[in-house]
Amino acid sequence: MRLIPLDSGTGVEIRFDRPILLVGRHEECDILLDSRKVSRKHCLVALLGDSLVVRDLGSTNGIQVNGKSVVEARVLSGDELAIGGCRFRLEPEPNELVSPHGTLQSLLR
């Protein structure tokens, strides 16, 4: 799975090289988002199969899934995730398929 930026200037797509990533503006974060609407340590995202779990870390501007403010939520393929003012859509990697049953299958297996 990967997060594709929906706004120009948000940056490049986010790919998951670890199961849990820290997102924010601080240099210690795994994913750096250069926006004043993003807190220094804004949220955690955890890759769980064919979805993400995102958890706000007490940020000023919060997180939204499909336009709804949440503290913690599951993000499914095709859903929109907003971190501060940065919007992304969760999509499978080009070599992955999401089955109708919601499980992730690799074409390379």
Side-chain angles (χ1 to χ4, degrees):
M1 300 303 281
R2 60 192 174 149
L3 288 170
I4 305 296
L6 297 177
D7 303 312
S8 61
T10 300
V12 296
E13 66 184 49
I14 297 171
R15 294 176 183 253
F16 295 87
D17 59 352
R18 283 174 262 178
I20 300 174
L21 298 174
L22 176 61
V23 180
R25 286 187 297 121
H26 195 275
E27 63 187 34
E28 291 178 1
C29 292
D30 301 305
I31 304 298
L32 294 172
L33 296 177
D34 187 25
S35 169
R36 297 187 62 77
K37 293 184 178 181
V38 175
S39 295
R40 291 166 38 90
K41 294 182 180 176
H42 199 99
C43 65
L44 288 174
V45 290
L47 185 60
L48 298 173
D50 62 345
S51 66
L52 288 179
V53 173
V54 60
R55 180 175 192 153
D56 192 296
L57 297 175
S59 67
T60 301
N61 292 305
I63 55 176
Q64 295 181 338
V65 176
N66 296 323
K68 181 180 177 186
S69 293
V70 296
V71 174
E72 182 173 323
R74 175 161 263 158
V75 183
L76 302 174
S77 182
D79 285 350
E80 182 179 308
L81 170 64
I83 301 170
C86 303
R87 296 181 317 126
F88 299 90
R89 183 176 46 252
L90 183 63
E91 293 184 357
E93 290 284 346
N95 63 340
E96 296 173 336
L97 287 177
V98 177
S99 80
H101 303 293
T103 58
L104 191 61
Q105 300 171 338
S106 172
L107 291 174
L108 300 176
R109 290 185 189 173

